[in-house]
């Protein structure tokens, strides 16, 4: 069965956003081009890692001698996007992701694949369900958009629960009991 590819070559918008309160948020990668909008759920740590790796890639590209790509070292102000995400209709929950660079278009390339739907049967054997059409998301971002994406992602992640200065664990809105190391 052919894979359904949600492809965005020059998206109007590509952002990480959340739904829910800190400590109970669902993270989404949302991409829009014209009337087409696709939202995929992902873990907070996937969001963090994606932003870090995009910044690392762009930082490395900006130091290449004779760099023809004009990679910004900071987020271009005109590309800052602080608007909330549109009400997401989750296309799939992200499993594996890959990050690449296309020098022919000077774009960062993100590929996201769904988390495999795996269950165990009565004999504890793993079973993968392929009832649905396989799909993936392919997003190509210009360097400025990628830099803005990484900045916004860090801000979204940092807007979560505050960290307890004593134990280092997140503080919930309804209270917190420290569990000190070695206690």
């Amino acid at each position: 069965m052919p894979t359904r590819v949600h492809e965005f070559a020059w998206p109007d918008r590509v952002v990480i956003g959340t739904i829910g309160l800190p400590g109970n948020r669902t993270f989404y990668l949302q991409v829009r081009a014209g009337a087409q909008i696709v939202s995929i759920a992902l873990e907070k740590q996937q969001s963090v890692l994606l932003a870090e790796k995009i910044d690392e890639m762009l930082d490395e590209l900006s130091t290449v001698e004779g760099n023809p790509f004009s990679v910004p070292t900071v987020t271009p102000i005109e590309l800052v996007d602080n608007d909330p995400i549109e009400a997401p209709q989750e296309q799939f929950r992200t499993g594996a992701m890959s990050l690449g660079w296309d020098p022919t278009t000077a774009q960062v390339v993100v590929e996201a694949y769904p988390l495999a739907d795996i269950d165990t049967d009565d004999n504890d054997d793993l079973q993968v369900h392929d009832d649905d059409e396989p799909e993936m998301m392919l997003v190509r971002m210009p360097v400025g958009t990628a830099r803005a994406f990484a900045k916004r992602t860090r801000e979204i992640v940092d807007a979560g629960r505050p960290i307890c200065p004593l134990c280092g664990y997140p503080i919930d809105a309804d209270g917190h009991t420290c569990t000190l190391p070695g206690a």
Side-chain angles (χ1 to χ4, degrees), residues 149-171:
F149 173 88
K151 179 182 187 299
R152 176 192 167 109
T153 300
R154 284 190 308 278
E155 291 170 354
I156 292 289
V157 169
D158 291 345
R161 297 177 289 174
I163 301 298
C164 175
L166 298 175
C167 69
Y169 288 104
I171 300 172

Side-chain angles (χ1 to χ4, degrees), residues 14-26:
V14 54
V15 294
I16 293 286
T18 62
I19 299 295
L21 297 174
N24 206 14
R25 299 183 294 173
T26 301

Side-chain angles (χ1 to χ4, degrees), residues 41-103:
L42 66 166
E43 296 298 323
K44 178 180 179 179
Q45 282 310 111
Q46 287 174 305
S47 304
V48 169
L49 190 58
L50 183 58
E52 286 175 2
K53 293 301 181 186
I54 286 174
D55 271 341
E56 285 176 18
M57 177 188 294
L58 294 176
D59 290 346
E60 186 175 318
L61 286 168
S62 68
T63 63
V64 171
E65 183 136 349
N67 179 4
F69 305 116
S70 185
V71 177
T73 55
V74 296
T75 301
I77 193 72
E78 67 275 10
L79 297 177
V80 172
D81 182 346
N82 292 323
D83 294 335
I85 59 173
E86 298 177 42
Q89 299 293 318
E90 184 178 315
Q91 193 67 39
F92 60 82
R93 178 157 290 279
T94 306
M97 297 182 81
S98 69
L99 181 64
W101 171 251
D102 184 346

